[in-house]
Structure formats: structure tokens, C-alpha cells
Amino acid sequence: METQSTSHEQLVVLFVIFFFTFSSTRCFIEVESHPLPENHAAFFIFGDSFLDAGNNNYINTTTLDQANFWPYGQTHFRYPTGRFSDGRLVSDFIAEFAKLPLIPPFLQPGFHQYHNGVNFASAGAGALSETFHGSVIELKAQIKYFKEVETWLKRKLWKAEGGLILSKAVYLFSIGTNDYMSLFLTNSPFLKSHSISEYVELVIGNLTTSIKQVHDSGGRKFGFMNLPPMGCSPGLRVAGGDADGRCLEEFGAYANEHNQRLVKLLQDLEKQLKGFKYSLYDFSSSLRQRMENPLKYGLKEGREACCGTGRFRGVFSCGGRRRVKEFESCRNPNEYVFWDSYHLTESLHKELAREMWSGSFNSHSSLKYLFQTT
């Protein structure tokens, strides 16, 4: 009996040693299975058609908010991806500069790997839920999707490692243009019921809430693009009905107020939020200079779109899948600022991305600094 008891105790001891040895090995393997490269920074993207990499391909909307048909995508991809350009977008080039792969749209079927980030942007989206409601993924919904990704990262990886990815990541926002364009394109009741200041306060308020929610999830490094002078886009030049095709100055009043408020907001958040770092790209000044002086930047056309119809090719018909079916397309998009009535060519996106990366036309930090700093 004594011999049997001793043997039993020895087996128990051996089992315990084996169990803890195996468990330690298993934990080591799990940690090592998702190693974070040094200085790895994921890239999360929120916004509208300037950054949408194809999310609107997968929602119930109209072709006014989709670009998944030819000739969109003709320059780089050689097929339409859902990007509102002849090729790549600012966010695609930023990912390249940061040595990341193309950041895919969140709704892309079969995509569930978020270590490098994901793109939540939706063409037509605004900071306000009322903006093109029911046809786009509003900013509030984009943040909801981000929260789902946060949960995935912290469950799939160890919580600490998922949190590390979120804290090192860069979060790029380009939102607000549609909140103001919708006032003029849809005869919105907001135009008469709110002053410019009141309406901008609503937009900035929703943006502030979204930024704080990302910060609460661990986000610390933020990139922003202010609003471009879309009143001078071919589409709004035509919509304004001016005989000389001048810019729609009413839109400019909203954009200017918004941009001033955005500067103040980011300065305040830097003081209020722990570890908050930001880069603000002056999209407005950079684009305006190219529209007004295209030759200076190696371009030929700053007012007319490459793809569309009518005056300035400002009728939003590129691809013949929208309300107006007739359209024409230029031979060389690289010579143009605008690809269609409201959106930019790949060559412009690349130039803007270089400025954002290097810090020219930026206030505060460059995106390069945000990606490379801890």
C-alpha cells in the first residue's frame, strides 16, 4: 500500500509539473503568434468620399453615393473599386508611406484582420445623422463599427496587446463637407432654421463626441483634414447658377467657419485629453492654390472636371450610371485637379498625401511624425 501511495503521489507531481510547463509554453506561443513589429502603427480611417475605399459598395444606397463602375479606378487598379477617383486616394498613399498594405473597407466581405487598421469612411457621410440619412454610413455608425473592431482586437489578441495596437495607431478624419453641401443640394430645412454659427456648432459637436470616443478606446494620435473649398468644385459652380461659373460663396461661408472652429477644437482637446497628439492638414489652402494656379503644379486644368458632362463637366454623370447618363472623359486625368464633378484625380491625392506626410500645409505635427512617434 505504501508503495502504491508513493507511486500515486509521484504521478500527481509529474502531472502538475507537466501541466504548468505546457501551460507556460502555450501562453508563450499565443503571445508570440501575434508579435508587434517595432514602431508598428495601425491606420484607422473615418470620413466621406475623399477617403471611402469601397464601403458604399456593400450598403443599400444609390449610384449617387457609389463609384463601383467604370471609368472609376481606371488609372491604377484598372477596375472600379468604389473609390471616387480614377485611382488611389490620400489614405492609400499614406498607408504606403507608413509601410502598410492598402487599408481595406470595413464592410468588405471576408475581411476580419484588423492588425493594420481598417477604413470606415462612407461616401456622402457627414457628422450629422440627418446628412443624406439612410443612404450612407454616418459618423456615429462609423464609430460604432470601430468599437466592434476594438472588441475584436482585445478578444482575439491579449487585451494588453490589443490595447497597444489602439494606442499606437493613427486615426485619420475627413468629415463635414457633406453636412454643408447637403444644405444646397437638397434644399434642406436646416438652411432656413439655423444660422451658420448654429449649424457649424452642431457639426463640430458631433465630431468632438466621436474624437472623444476614440480617445476613450485608447486612441492618442489623430490626423485631420479641414474642409476644402467645394464651393469652387465643378458641381457647385454649376449648381450655383452663376453665368460666369463663379464659386458658390455661400458654401464658403460655412466651410470657413467650420475650419476656424476645428483649429480651436483641436487646441482645446490637446489640453483636455491625456496624450492627445494631432496633425491638421490645410486641405482648403492646398486645393485652392492648385485650382487657381494649375500650371504652377504641373497641371493643365483646375476648374473643369475630367469626367462628366455639361459646363465644366460639372453635371455629376461620370460613368453614365446616375440620373444623367451622358458623360465624357478626358484622355489624361493626371493633368486635372478634379476627376469628376466633386472629387479629385489620383495625381492630386498623391500630392496631398505627400504634403500631409511631410508636414507642409500642416499645423502642428506631420503624419510621418505621428506614425513614427510612440
Side-chain angles (χ1 to χ4, degrees), residues 40 82 88 130 196 209 217 228 263 265 268 270 272 286 342:
H40 175 273
R88 290 163 290 182
E130 294 83 0
I196 293 176
T209 298
S217 296
V263 170
L265 169 65
D268 290 344
E270 186 176 38
Q272 297 168 10
S286 182
Y342 302 104

Side-chain angles (χ1 to χ4, degrees), residues 192-206:
K192 297 178 180 178
S193 59
H194 292 78
S195 68
I196 293 176
S197 181
E198 289 170 342
Y199 191 77
V200 171
E201 176 66 28
L202 294 174
V203 175
I204 290 291
N206 280 17

Side-chain angles (χ1 to χ4, degrees), residues 45-308:
I45 300 158
F46 304 86
D48 50 34
S49 55
F50 286 115
L51 299 178
D52 184 358
N55 278 306
N56 280 18
N57 295 350
Y58 310 109
I59 65 174
N60 183 22
T61 187
T62 71
T63 54
L64 290 173
D65 293 312
Q66 289 180 318
N68 52 353
F69 43 86
W70 191 260
Y72 288 94
Q74 69 176 29
T75 299
H76 176 77
F77 298 101
R78 309 296 182 188
Y79 64 91
T81 64
R83 291 168 171 82
F84 279 78
S85 179
D86 58 304
R88 290 163 290 182
L89 308 177
V90 157
S91 48
D92 297 317
F93 290 109
I94 296 297
E96 178 185 325
F97 300 158
K99 296 182 170 53
L100 292 169
L102 283 177
I103 306 299
F106 176 76
L107 295 182
Q108 179 176 299
F111 174 73
H112 299 292
Q113 297 295 324
Y114 305 118
H115 305 77
N116 291 316
V118 67
N119 187 322
F120 304 101
S122 169
L128 302 180
S129 298
E130 294 83 0
T131 298
F132 301 126
H133 183 69
S135 299
V136 301
I137 308 166
E138 64 191 69
L139 182 58
K140 183 178 180 180
Q142 293 180 34
I143 297 298
K144 178 177 176 290
Y145 288 151
F146 167 70
K147 292 292 185 178
E148 292 179 19
V149 170
E150 177 191 359
T151 300
W152 183 93
L153 285 169
K154 291 182 176 179
R155 284 181 180 173
K156 191 73 174 178
L157 311 178
W158 278 18
K159 186 175 181 179
E161 188 176 352
L164 187 61
I165 287 177
L166 294 170
S167 67
K168 284 189 169 185
V170 174
Y171 302 85
L172 179 63
F173 285 78
S174 174
I175 199 81
T177 297
N178 291 303
D179 293 305
Y180 305 113
M181 283 183 60
S182 65
L183 298 177
F184 302 98
L185 296 179
T186 64
N187 195 26
S188 170
F190 273 100
L191 194 60
K192 297 178 180 178
S193 59
H194 292 78
S195 68
I196 293 176
S197 181
E198 289 170 342
Y199 191 77
V200 171
E201 176 66 28
L202 294 174
V203 175
I204 290 291
N206 280 17
L207 175 59
T208 304
T209 298
S210 297
I211 295 168
K212 289 182 175 180
Q213 287 176 318
V214 173
H215 182 270
D216 288 343
S217 296
R220 294 296 182 266
K221 299 183 289 184
F222 294 80
F224 298 91
M225 303 168 67
N226 70 6
L227 300 192
M230 290 305 294
C232 298
S233 65
L236 285 188
R237 285 183 189 273
V238 171
D242 183 83
D244 297 324
R246 287 177 292 196
C247 301
L248 184 62
E249 295 302 333
E250 288 179 278
F251 177 88
Y254 283 89
N256 291 338
E257 177 81 12
H258 177 101
N259 289 344
Q260 291 171 17
R261 293 291 306 278
L262 180 60
V263 170
K264 179 68 165 56
L265 169 65
L266 298 180
Q267 291 172 345
D268 290 344
L269 291 179
E270 186 176 38
K271 298 173 185 175
Q272 297 168 10
L273 301 182
K274 181 180 178 181
F276 182 85
K277 301 181 181 73
Y278 74 89
S279 169
L280 174 58
Y281 177 61
D282 192 355
F283 190 8
S284 177
S285 295
S286 182
L287 184 57
R288 185 179 295 277
Q289 288 191 17
R290 286 167 171 80
M291 286 191 294
E292 294 175 352
N293 301 288
L295 294 178
K296 178 181 175 181
Y297 295 92
L299 304 166
K300 291 186 178 180
E301 180 55 60
R303 296 176 52 162
E304 183 176 282
C306 171
C307 186

